mmCIF file of all heavy atoms in Angstrom:
data_model
loop_
_atom_site.group_PDB
_atom_site.id
_atom_site.type_symbol
_atom_site.label_atom_id
_atom_site.label_comp_id
_atom_site.label_asym_id
_atom_site.label_seq_id
_atom_site.Cartn_x
_atom_site.Cartn_y
_atom_site.Cartn_z
ATOM 1 N N ASP W 111 31.483 -27.647 -40.691
ATOM 2 C CA ASP W 111 30.049 -28.014 -40.778
ATOM 3 C C ASP W 111 29.224 -26.727 -41.076
ATOM 4 O O ASP W 111 28.310 -26.756 -41.948
ATOM 5 C CB ASP W 111 29.533 -28.610 -39.501
ATOM 6 C CG ASP W 111 28.083 -28.923 -39.536
ATOM 7 O OD1 ASP W 111 27.704 -29.973 -40.118
ATOM 8 O OD2 ASP W 111 27.284 -28.162 -38.984
ATOM 9 N N ARG W 112 29.524 -25.674 -40.414
ATOM 10 C CA ARG W 112 28.799 -24.389 -40.614
ATOM 11 C C ARG W 112 28.990 -23.885 -42.053
ATOM 12 O O ARG W 112 28.037 -23.454 -42.716
ATOM 13 C CB ARG W 112 29.272 -23.347 -39.610
ATOM 14 C CG ARG W 112 28.493 -22.067 -39.665
ATOM 15 C CD ARG W 112 28.948 -21.135 -38.530
ATOM 16 N NE ARG W 112 30.326 -20.775 -38.735
ATOM 17 C CZ ARG W 112 31.259 -20.884 -37.747
ATOM 18 N NH1 ARG W 112 30.955 -21.392 -36.604
ATOM 19 N NH2 ARG W 112 32.500 -20.487 -37.958
ATOM 20 N N CYS W 113 30.187 -24.022 -42.547
ATOM 21 C CA CYS W 113 30.506 -23.555 -43.901
ATOM 22 C C CYS W 113 29.739 -24.413 -44.940
ATOM 23 O O CYS W 113 29.146 -23.871 -45.901
ATOM 24 C CB CYS W 113 31.990 -23.609 -44.141
ATOM 25 S SG CYS W 113 32.522 -23.099 -45.795
ATOM 26 N N LEU W 114 29.705 -25.722 -44.767
ATOM 27 C CA LEU W 114 29.034 -26.593 -45.686
ATOM 28 C C LEU W 114 27.568 -26.324 -45.670
ATOM 29 O O LEU W 114 26.881 -26.430 -46.743
ATOM 30 C CB LEU W 114 29.322 -28.107 -45.347
ATOM 31 C CG LEU W 114 30.759 -28.545 -45.608
ATOM 32 C CD1 LEU W 114 30.930 -29.974 -45.086
ATOM 33 C CD2 LEU W 114 31.103 -28.431 -47.084
ATOM 34 N N GLN W 115 26.967 -26.039 -44.518
ATOM 35 C CA GLN W 115 25.534 -25.728 -44.463
ATOM 36 C C GLN W 115 25.172 -24.496 -45.275
ATOM 37 O O GLN W 115 24.121 -24.488 -45.871
ATOM 38 C CB GLN W 115 25.092 -25.524 -42.988
ATOM 39 C CG GLN W 115 25.053 -26.796 -42.162
ATOM 40 C CD GLN W 115 24.505 -26.557 -40.765
ATOM 41 O OE1 GLN W 115 23.458 -25.956 -40.656
ATOM 42 N NE2 GLN W 115 25.197 -27.011 -39.781
ATOM 43 N N LEU W 116 26.056 -23.553 -45.306
ATOM 44 C CA LEU W 116 25.760 -22.353 -46.047
ATOM 45 C C LEU W 116 26.043 -22.472 -47.544
ATOM 46 O O LEU W 116 25.249 -22.040 -48.366
ATOM 47 C CB LEU W 116 26.639 -21.167 -45.481
ATOM 48 C CG LEU W 116 26.113 -20.500 -44.222
ATOM 49 C CD1 LEU W 116 27.172 -19.552 -43.659
ATOM 50 C CD2 LEU W 116 24.816 -19.764 -44.500
ATOM 51 N N ILE W 117 27.147 -23.100 -47.883
ATOM 52 C CA ILE W 117 27.558 -23.156 -49.291
ATOM 53 C C ILE W 117 26.831 -24.265 -50.021
ATOM 54 O O ILE W 117 26.471 -24.089 -51.196
ATOM 55 C CB ILE W 117 29.090 -23.314 -49.396
ATOM 56 C CG1 ILE W 117 29.785 -22.099 -48.799
ATOM 57 C CG2 ILE W 117 29.524 -23.488 -50.869
ATOM 58 C CD1 ILE W 117 31.303 -22.224 -48.750
ATOM 59 N N HIS W 118 26.656 -25.430 -49.370
ATOM 60 C CA HIS W 118 26.018 -26.542 -50.002
ATOM 61 C C HIS W 118 24.849 -27.015 -49.161
ATOM 62 O O HIS W 118 24.837 -28.103 -48.635
ATOM 63 C CB HIS W 118 27.025 -27.707 -50.231
ATOM 64 C CG HIS W 118 28.198 -27.337 -51.056
ATOM 65 N ND1 HIS W 118 28.127 -27.114 -52.408
ATOM 66 C CD2 HIS W 118 29.485 -27.134 -50.746
ATOM 67 C CE1 HIS W 118 29.343 -26.803 -52.871
ATOM 68 N NE2 HIS W 118 30.161 -26.782 -51.881
ATOM 69 N N SER W 119 23.834 -26.181 -49.071
ATOM 70 C CA SER W 119 22.748 -26.438 -48.124
ATOM 71 C C SER W 119 21.886 -27.636 -48.541
ATOM 72 O O SER W 119 21.203 -28.217 -47.750
ATOM 73 C CB SER W 119 21.844 -25.211 -48.021
ATOM 74 O OG SER W 119 21.352 -24.838 -49.331
ATOM 75 N N SER W 120 21.903 -27.968 -49.862
ATOM 76 C CA SER W 120 21.075 -29.073 -50.344
ATOM 77 C C SER W 120 21.789 -30.455 -50.295
ATOM 78 O O SER W 120 21.187 -31.483 -50.598
ATOM 79 C CB SER W 120 20.652 -28.800 -51.775
ATOM 80 O OG SER W 120 21.775 -28.720 -52.640
ATOM 81 N N LYS W 121 23.019 -30.465 -49.921
ATOM 82 C CA LYS W 121 23.827 -31.691 -49.835
ATOM 83 C C LYS W 121 24.178 -32.016 -48.401
ATOM 84 O O LYS W 121 24.242 -31.173 -47.538
ATOM 85 C CB LYS W 121 25.093 -31.608 -50.646
ATOM 86 C CG LYS W 121 24.860 -31.395 -52.163
ATOM 87 C CD LYS W 121 26.209 -31.339 -52.876
ATOM 88 C CE LYS W 121 26.019 -31.170 -54.356
ATOM 89 N NZ LYS W 121 27.349 -31.124 -55.086
ATOM 90 N N ILE W 122 24.390 -33.322 -48.186
ATOM 91 C CA ILE W 122 24.853 -33.779 -46.878
ATOM 92 C C ILE W 122 26.176 -34.515 -47.069
ATOM 93 O O ILE W 122 26.196 -35.554 -47.757
ATOM 94 C CB ILE W 122 23.814 -34.699 -46.197
ATOM 95 C CG1 ILE W 122 22.518 -33.951 -45.939
ATOM 96 C CG2 ILE W 122 24.365 -35.249 -44.903
ATOM 97 C CD1 ILE W 122 21.391 -34.853 -45.451
ATOM 98 N N TYR W 123 27.235 -34.027 -46.524
ATOM 99 C CA TYR W 123 28.563 -34.621 -46.691
ATOM 100 C C TYR W 123 28.792 -35.596 -45.520
ATOM 101 O O TYR W 123 28.151 -35.543 -44.440
ATOM 102 C CB TYR W 123 29.627 -33.592 -46.745
ATOM 103 C CG TYR W 123 29.592 -32.795 -48.074
ATOM 104 C CD1 TYR W 123 28.785 -31.630 -48.162
ATOM 105 C CD2 TYR W 123 30.338 -33.146 -49.164
ATOM 106 C CE1 TYR W 123 28.714 -30.914 -49.327
ATOM 107 C CE2 TYR W 123 30.299 -32.415 -50.333
ATOM 108 C CZ TYR W 123 29.480 -31.304 -50.406
ATOM 109 O OH TYR W 123 29.437 -30.576 -51.585
ATOM 110 N N ARG W 124 29.791 -36.432 -45.711
ATOM 111 C CA ARG W 124 30.091 -37.462 -44.724
ATOM 112 C C ARG W 124 30.374 -36.818 -43.344
ATOM 113 O O ARG W 124 29.981 -37.310 -42.283
ATOM 114 C CB ARG W 124 31.309 -38.272 -45.160
ATOM 115 C CG ARG W 124 31.689 -39.430 -44.227
ATOM 116 C CD ARG W 124 30.717 -40.563 -44.384
ATOM 117 N NE ARG W 124 30.957 -41.614 -43.417
ATOM 118 C CZ ARG W 124 31.877 -42.556 -43.535
ATOM 119 N NH1 ARG W 124 32.628 -42.586 -44.640
ATOM 120 N NH2 ARG W 124 32.040 -43.485 -42.648
ATOM 121 N N ILE W 125 31.111 -35.694 -43.366
ATOM 122 C CA ILE W 125 31.497 -35.046 -42.131
ATOM 123 C C ILE W 125 30.268 -34.488 -41.352
ATOM 124 O O ILE W 125 30.307 -34.228 -40.187
ATOM 125 C CB ILE W 125 32.490 -33.902 -42.369
ATOM 126 C CG1 ILE W 125 33.186 -33.499 -41.071
ATOM 127 C CG2 ILE W 125 31.837 -32.705 -43.034
ATOM 128 C CD1 ILE W 125 34.307 -32.504 -41.289
ATOM 129 N N GLN W 126 29.124 -34.387 -42.066
ATOM 130 C CA GLN W 126 27.893 -33.884 -41.442
ATOM 131 C C GLN W 126 27.011 -35.007 -40.880
ATOM 132 O O GLN W 126 25.928 -34.752 -40.369
ATOM 133 C CB GLN W 126 27.116 -33.071 -42.444
ATOM 134 C CG GLN W 126 27.780 -31.763 -42.884
ATOM 135 C CD GLN W 126 26.986 -31.015 -43.942
ATOM 136 O OE1 GLN W 126 27.077 -31.337 -45.115
ATOM 137 N NE2 GLN W 126 26.239 -30.034 -43.510
ATOM 138 N N GLU W 127 27.459 -36.253 -41.030
ATOM 139 C CA GLU W 127 26.691 -37.390 -40.495
ATOM 140 C C GLU W 127 27.054 -37.615 -39.052
ATOM 141 O O GLU W 127 28.215 -37.641 -38.671
ATOM 142 C CB GLU W 127 26.984 -38.633 -41.329
ATOM 143 C CG GLU W 127 26.545 -38.526 -42.810
ATOM 144 C CD GLU W 127 26.997 -39.736 -43.611
ATOM 145 O OE1 GLU W 127 27.612 -40.658 -43.011
ATOM 146 O OE2 GLU W 127 26.672 -39.796 -44.805
ATOM 147 N N PRO W 128 26.011 -37.795 -38.175
ATOM 148 C CA PRO W 128 26.309 -38.019 -36.750
ATOM 149 C C PRO W 128 27.256 -39.190 -36.472
ATOM 150 O O PRO W 128 28.087 -39.108 -35.609
ATOM 151 C CB PRO W 128 24.937 -38.246 -36.158
ATOM 152 C CG PRO W 128 24.000 -37.514 -37.073
ATOM 153 C CD PRO W 128 24.596 -37.658 -38.441
ATOM 154 N N GLY W 129 27.077 -40.290 -37.257
ATOM 155 C CA GLY W 129 27.930 -41.426 -37.084
ATOM 156 C C GLY W 129 29.375 -41.118 -37.344
ATOM 157 O O GLY W 129 30.302 -41.535 -36.604
ATOM 158 N N PHE W 130 29.620 -40.357 -38.419
ATOM 159 C CA PHE W 130 30.988 -39.936 -38.736
ATOM 160 C C PHE W 130 31.521 -39.013 -37.682
ATOM 161 O O PHE W 130 32.683 -39.086 -37.338
ATOM 162 C CB PHE W 130 31.014 -39.296 -40.140
ATOM 163 C CG PHE W 130 32.389 -38.913 -40.536
ATOM 164 C CD1 PHE W 130 33.265 -39.804 -41.139
ATOM 165 C CD2 PHE W 130 32.853 -37.596 -40.390
ATOM 166 C CE1 PHE W 130 34.540 -39.453 -41.519
ATOM 167 C CE2 PHE W 130 34.108 -37.218 -40.752
ATOM 168 C CZ PHE W 130 34.965 -38.147 -41.349
ATOM 169 N N ALA W 131 30.653 -38.103 -37.193
ATOM 170 C CA ALA W 131 31.086 -37.166 -36.122
ATOM 171 C C ALA W 131 31.557 -37.911 -34.908
ATOM 172 O O ALA W 131 32.552 -37.533 -34.277
ATOM 173 C CB ALA W 131 29.943 -36.202 -35.820
ATOM 174 N N LYS W 132 30.847 -38.972 -34.508
ATOM 175 C CA LYS W 132 31.275 -39.764 -33.365
ATOM 176 C C LYS W 132 32.593 -40.482 -33.611
ATOM 177 O O LYS W 132 33.475 -40.533 -32.730
ATOM 178 C CB LYS W 132 30.194 -40.782 -33.010
ATOM 179 C CG LYS W 132 28.893 -40.191 -32.514
ATOM 180 C CD LYS W 132 27.810 -41.237 -32.265
ATOM 181 C CE LYS W 132 26.508 -40.626 -31.825
ATOM 182 N NZ LYS W 132 25.451 -41.610 -31.607
ATOM 183 N N MET W 133 32.770 -41.015 -34.852
ATOM 184 C CA MET W 133 33.949 -41.727 -35.144
ATOM 185 C C MET W 133 35.171 -40.794 -35.148
ATOM 186 O O MET W 133 36.192 -41.089 -34.552
ATOM 187 C CB MET W 133 33.845 -42.386 -36.513
ATOM 188 C CG MET W 133 35.083 -43.203 -36.917
ATOM 189 S SD MET W 133 35.066 -43.683 -38.666
ATOM 190 C CE MET W 133 35.357 -42.113 -39.457
ATOM 191 N N ILE W 134 35.046 -39.634 -35.836
ATOM 192 C CA ILE W 134 36.158 -38.709 -35.922
ATOM 193 C C ILE W 134 36.504 -38.137 -34.547
ATOM 194 O O ILE W 134 37.655 -37.814 -34.212
ATOM 195 C CB ILE W 134 35.881 -37.583 -36.952
ATOM 196 C CG1 ILE W 134 37.187 -36.893 -37.382
ATOM 197 C CG2 ILE W 134 34.863 -36.568 -36.412
ATOM 198 C CD1 ILE W 134 38.143 -37.765 -38.097
ATOM 199 N N SER W 135 35.470 -37.942 -33.687
ATOM 200 C CA SER W 135 35.737 -37.424 -32.338
ATOM 201 C C SER W 135 36.532 -38.427 -31.561
ATOM 202 O O SER W 135 37.474 -38.051 -30.828
ATOM 203 C CB SER W 135 34.390 -37.187 -31.603
ATOM 204 O OG SER W 135 33.614 -36.171 -32.286
#
Side-chain angles (χ1 to χ4, degrees):
D111 179 80
R112 186 175 63 231
C113 180
L114 291 175
Q115 288 186 49
L116 279 171
I117 297 176
H118 301 290
S119 58
S120 61
K121 295 182 180 180
I122 299 174
Y123 291 87
R124 184 75 186 277
I125 196 173
Q126 294 177 278
E127 297 174 359
F130 182 82
K132 293 176 181 178
M133 182 193 72
I134 197 66
S135 297

